[in-house]
Amino acid sequence: MSLVAYFDAASSEPLHPQAREALLAAIDVGWADPARLYGQARRAHLLLEQARTEVAEALGARPDEVSFTSSGTQAVHLGVLGTLHGRRRAGRHLVTSAVEHSSVLHAGGVHERDGGTVETVGVELTGRVDLDLFAEAVARPGTALACLQTANHEVGTLQPVAEAAAACRANGVPLLVDAAQTAGRMPVPAGWSVLTASAHKWGGPAGVGVLVVRKGTRFRSFLPEDERERRRVPGFENVPGIVAAAAALRAMTAEAAQEQARLSELVAKIRETVPKVVPDVEVIGDPVERAPHIVTFSCLYVDGEALLTELDKAGFAVSSGSSCTASTLRPSHVLEAMGVLTHGNVRVSLPRGTSAAEVDRFLAVLPDLVRRIRQDAGVA
Amino acid sequence: MTEVTEPALTIDAIGKKCPIPIIMLAEQINYVPLNAVVAVLADDPAAYTDVPAWCRLKSHRHVGSYELPEGGWAIHVRRNY
């Protein structure tokens, strides 16, 4: 067991050993321009297209539907704005849930400033989008695109993507599904028109995102013209990174059924134990319909930053949605939308290979840390 | 505004960051009689979400949140027990 238990896989999963191996090999052979016609270029092209086929297979897509971006955030920006641009004639209304990743909400902000409209659909206390309101929203005339994540990045709650997709289909509206938190861990739910994901969240390297546009979906990049990636993503492809990302996705997917079930049991243990050993704590998110690796709780009367600092000293890397830990000084929009406590918030997200002993040690040190912080704040 | 119950106690947590407004509320709610209303004045955006969430966890009643002219809110809580 290492000295520091890394419990922040939802921010970034450590590089998978098979990705590391693939990255080192591809750096040596995949550096040339895959668009050229000489030997080294054909080699890079072959590596790129092999990776594309593997990623497509893992995500349930066709290779020609898959484009690589420089990040998950870029995939979302291009996916949202490119689909809106492609569907300009259908309308200018965008529907999203209130708990989408900030990249979705910020792309919506650009759309609004450009004269479009955005409707944000609220969520239940668990963080699950209100499906009736979502269906109502996508039925409004002029809806060009709807967005829904597979699982929430802060609380782990799974979204009813299949049902939302059915509502979209009934109204002829494409659905962009942000699968950043589940790709490589869970099967991709059916019904998406546009799919986005991020390689460093499944054990690939940083600098690779995936944008998948289903055949038949109207899409037009809003950026200056570029020939790369079927005109969807500008710029020279990061071939070594993409090769490593595909290797990680293949490895994670192959291990997923067993490893994610194991992590899910560890998460269940944290969900059950924390309220028993820490008084005045709220475990947040859906206890059953959730991503296998994420659990979030909030401790009443506790400063989130103090708790993160103490956990760091005790050898635990975790994250928080509390405002005092954010650069914006605002609490997380996810916790706000759910109407749950925003202070004293801790998100634990387990990477592959997390041991039961690490989780036990976390559960053993947490109660005293919380008690001490409360004591220092004068809470009896 | 006529339907708003006059608070029996006002806690001034303006300028205080969460969780301090909640800590002050938890300490002082017992100073008012049952069914009386405590007003928490706060301007930390976290308090706007956290006071109602605290009420839900502690089975008190969040009556309403009213914007203050100088910024922030008066968040009214009814003591239930």
Side-chain angles (χ1 to χ4, degrees):
Chain A
M1 183 163 62
S2 66
L3 280 172
V4 175
Y6 179 80
F7 287 171
D8 198 17
S11 291
S12 195
E13 171 80 18
L15 193 67
H16 195 286
Q18 293 192 26
R20 185 174 186 279
E21 210 174 291
L23 183 63
L24 293 176
I27 280 173
D28 286 335
V29 293
W31 49 268
D33 185 344
R36 300 290 171 255
L37 296 173
Y38 36 79
Q40 297 97 320
R42 282 199 300 272
R43 187 74 197 273
H45 177 77
L46 196 69
L47 286 172
L48 176 61
E49 294 313 313
Q50 253 168 12
R52 197 186 308 281
T53 303
E54 284 172 12
V55 168
E57 198 183 306
L59 299 178
R62 292 170 26 158
D64 63 352
E65 295 172 335
V66 174
S67 300
F68 293 106
T69 66
S70 63
S71 67
T73 289
Q74 194 200 25
V76 166
H77 289 168
L78 295 173
V80 171
L81 296 174
T83 312
L84 286 169
H85 194 39
R87 291 205 9 110
R88 256 184 112 90
R89 286 199 190 136
R92 303 214 60 202
H93 192 56
L94 169 68
V95 175
T96 81
S97 89
V99 298
E100 295 304 304
H101 187 262
S102 56
S103 57
V104 173
L105 303 180
H106 288 154
V110 168
H111 178 61
E112 256 180 335
R113 287 194 288 282
D114 191 35
T117 53
V118 179
E119 186 168 352
T120 308
V121 180
V123 298
E124 298 161 10
L125 197 59
T126 58
R128 185 185 202 259
V129 72
D130 186 317
L131 201 52
D132 292 341
L133 291 180
F134 195 88
E136 254 173 56
V138 299
R140 273 187 239 301
T143 301
L145 175 66
C147 301
L148 190 61
Q149 60 200 183
T150 51
N152 184 264
H153 48 295
E154 289 189 33
V155 302
T157 299
L158 294 179
Q159 299 294 352
V161 170
E163 293 90 332
C168 287
R169 201 179 317 115
N171 292 285
V173 172
L175 177 68
L176 181 148
V177 172
D178 171 13
Q181 286 305 336
T182 59
R185 299 176 198 275
M186 304 175 81
V188 177
W192 52 268
S193 302
V194 180
L195 184 75
T196 60
S198 172
H200 73 93
K201 297 208 196 285
W202 71 55
V208 180
V210 179
L211 169 66
V212 195
V213 180
R214 202 50 118 192
K215 200 171 157 50
T217 306
R218 281 191 175 278
F219 184 94
R220 196 164 165 226
S221 175
F222 60 99
L223 291 173
E225 266 181 50
D226 195 277
E227 300 295 314
R228 305 268 168 183
E229 294 298 296
R230 286 157 183 84
R231 296 173 178 266
R232 291 184 195 129
V233 189
F236 190 93
E237 295 92 342
N238 171 7
V239 175
I242 290 166
V243 168
L249 184 59
R250 190 178 56 221
M252 277 289 266
T253 306
E255 304 163 350
Q258 214 173 2
E259 177 64 0
Q260 299 304 317
R262 196 183 66 81
L263 294 180
S264 186
E265 273 178 41
L266 294 176
V267 161
K269 184 174 190 182
I270 297 173
R271 289 191 71 99
E272 277 164 33
T273 310
V274 166
K276 286 182 193 157
V277 295
V278 180
D280 284 328
V281 75
E282 183 180 29
V283 182
I284 298 169
D286 197 298
V288 181
E289 293 297 311
R290 58 170 174 78
H293 61 307
I294 302 175
V295 48
T296 299
F297 54 88
S298 292
C299 306
L300 258 179
Y301 317 128
V302 167
D303 174 0
E305 190 181 3
L307 186 50
L308 252 56
T309 306
E310 289 305 314
L311 282 168
D312 181 45
K313 279 192 222 160
F316 295 98
V318 299
S319 120
S320 169
S322 294
S323 50
C324 49
T325 65
S327 51
T328 54
L329 293 177
R330 279 198 73 84
S332 125
H333 70 273
V334 172
L335 303 178
E336 271 185 343
M338 291 167 67
V340 295
L341 279 188
T342 69
H343 71 259
N345 180 259
V346 173
R347 177 186 70 183
V348 172
S349 52
L350 306 179
R352 64 183 279 281
T354 299
S355 72
E358 285 173 308
V359 168
D360 288 344
R361 188 165 74 84
F362 176 77
L363 293 170
V365 305
L366 182 71
D368 200 46
L369 295 184
V370 172
R371 192 186 54 75
R372 268 193 284 146
I373 293 167
R374 283 177 176 158
Q375 205 171 36
D376 290 349
V379 180
Chain B
M1 288 298 279
T2 46
E3 63 209 274
V4 176
T5 310
E6 198 59 36
L9 174 70
T10 297
I11 298 171
D12 183 2
I14 296 285
K16 301 239 183 335
K17 297 265 167 237
C18 257
I20 295 166
I22 308 287
I23 294 175
M24 294 168 82
L25 171 61
E27 269 172 5
Q28 296 181 35
I29 193 157
N30 293 332
Y31 299 168
V32 304
L34 283 184
N35 295 315
V37 167
V38 176
V40 182
L41 310 184
D43 56 2
D44 180 2
Y48 185 80
T49 304
D50 284 10
V51 174
W54 179 86
C55 291
R56 180 171 50 75
L57 292 173
K58 290 289 172 185
S59 306
H60 289 295
R61 192 164 154 247
H62 172 232
V63 182
S65 301
Y66 313 97
E67 270 183 44
L68 297 172
E70 61 274 26
W73 306 268
I75 310 170
H76 286 203
V77 175
R78 191 182 295 279
R79 183 181 170 191
N80 269 356
Y81 58 90

